[in-house]
Amino acid sequence: MHCPFCRHPDSRVVDSRTTDDGASIRRRRQCPDCGRRFTTVETASLMVIKRSGVTEPFSRNKVIAGVRKACQGRPVTEDALAQLGQRVEEAVRATGSAELSTHDVGLAILGPLQDLDLVAYLRFASVYRAFDSLEDFDRAITELREQLPPTTPGGLDEDLGVPAPAAATD
């Protein structure tokens, strides 16, 4: 590490600490030439490979911006979006891979978004999974109904404004 003051090509680590819940390391360094101290923050880079083949750094803000669009008009707070962004970043970093596809990032978003808001989940899934017919929506809603307890107040049917399926009568 070059000294930012005298450009000496080496420095000595005086102290190291993890920050951001272990996502980065803060190091206090000292230059052996001029004796001045400075701080560095090290993070592991995580790259996303887009469909076009272009590679760019992972951005929690881009995840939040995409989910925010799906949450328009829904009772979702900025704090909840920030927590979702953090959960997604933790999930993709936990894979241990330095490069992920946009598909992998999308999969990492769907789980936390389903926990956050079912309508926003369906909106996001419809774009992410490229729904092109009513059957695609119907299939996704059926899958969600099967995952939810049947007597949950405020469940999927109320959230979507869809009448619950009629009970079968003899």
Side-chain angles (χ1 to χ4, degrees):
M1 181 82 217
H2 289 280
C3 174
F5 305 108
C6 69
R7 303 300 299 159
H8 186 74
D10 197 16
S11 63
R12 182 174 64 91
V13 175
V14 177
D15 182 39
S16 291
R17 297 179 189 186
T18 59
T19 59
D20 297 331
D21 296 325
S24 60
I25 298 174
R26 179 186 168 273
R27 297 195 195 278
R28 192 73 180 138
R29 297 176 176 270
Q30 184 172 9
C31 176
D33 194 38
C34 70
R36 294 178 77 178
R37 291 186 174 200
F38 57 98
T39 301
T40 60
V41 178
E42 301 172 17
T43 58
S45 65
L46 180 61
M47 302 301 283
V48 176
I49 304 168
K50 300 177 87 171
R51 290 183 197 147
S52 65
V54 174
T55 304
E56 66 180 41
F58 174 84
S59 169
R60 184 188 301 186
N61 291 335
K62 284 185 87 170
V63 168
I64 293 170
V67 172
R68 184 179 289 119
K69 289 176 188 172
C71 292
Q72 282 182 336
R74 302 295 304 156
V76 177
T77 65
E78 284 298 315
D79 286 343
L81 289 175
Q83 288 176 349
L84 181 138
Q86 182 175 349
R87 285 179 62 191
V88 169
E89 184 171 358
E90 288 170 357
V92 297
R93 287 193 184 278
T95 65
S97 179
E99 291 186 341
L100 296 165
S101 68
T102 53
H103 179 77
D104 295 332
V105 175
L107 286 177
I109 292 171
L110 286 175
L113 186 54
Q114 183 177 347
D115 295 340
L116 181 64
D117 188 273
L118 294 173
V119 173
Y121 167 81
L122 278 174
R123 289 174 178 171
F124 188 87
S126 70
V127 173
Y128 173 71
R129 293 183 178 164
F131 288 4
D132 59 3
S133 69
L134 288 176
E135 288 76 25
D136 293 335
F137 280 97
D138 190 43
R139 194 174 312 111
I141 292 170
T142 302
E143 289 171 9
L144 288 172
R145 281 190 179 125
E146 290 170 358
Q147 293 174 9
L148 291 176
T151 58
T152 303
L156 181 64
D157 295 325
E158 285 182 27
D159 284 348
L160 295 177
V162 175
T169 57
D170 291 327

